[in-house]
C-alpha cells in the first residue's frame, strides 16, 4: 500500500504531460490536413530520375 503513495502521483503527472502534449499539437495545427498525407503518396516527384545501369 505504501507504493501507491508514489505511483498515483506519478501516474497523474504523466497523464497531465500527455494531455498537455496533445493540446500543444492541437494548437500547432498537427491535425489540420488529415487527408493530405494519404494523397501525397500518389504525387510523382519530377526531380527524381531513375537511371538504368
Amino acid at each position: 500500500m505504501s507504493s501507491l503513495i508514489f505511483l498515483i502521483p506519478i501516474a497523474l503527472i504523466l497523464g497531465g504531460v500527455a494531455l498537455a502534449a496533445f493540446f500543444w499539437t492541437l494548437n500547432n495545427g498537427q491535425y489540420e490536413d488529415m487527408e493530405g498525407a494519404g494523397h501525397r503518396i500518389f504525387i510523382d516527384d519530377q526531380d527524381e530520375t531513375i537511371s538504368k545501369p
Side-chain angles (χ1 to χ4, degrees):
M1 283 303 247
S2 65
S3 64
L4 289 179
I5 294 171
F6 298 110
L7 291 178
I8 290 175
I10 290 172
L12 291 175
I13 290 170
L14 288 176
V17 168
L19 190 63
F22 174 70
F23 283 127
W24 180 74
T25 59
L26 280 177
N27 288 334
N28 286 334
Q30 290 285 322
Y31 306 110
E32 293 293 323
D33 186 19
M34 296 299 286
E35 295 179 2
H39 293 289
R40 234 175 273 132
I41 195 170
F42 296 115
I43 297 173
D44 289 335
D45 292 335
Q46 298 298 327
D47 296 334
E48 295 181 17
T49 58
I50 299 173
S51 60
K52 295 181 181 178

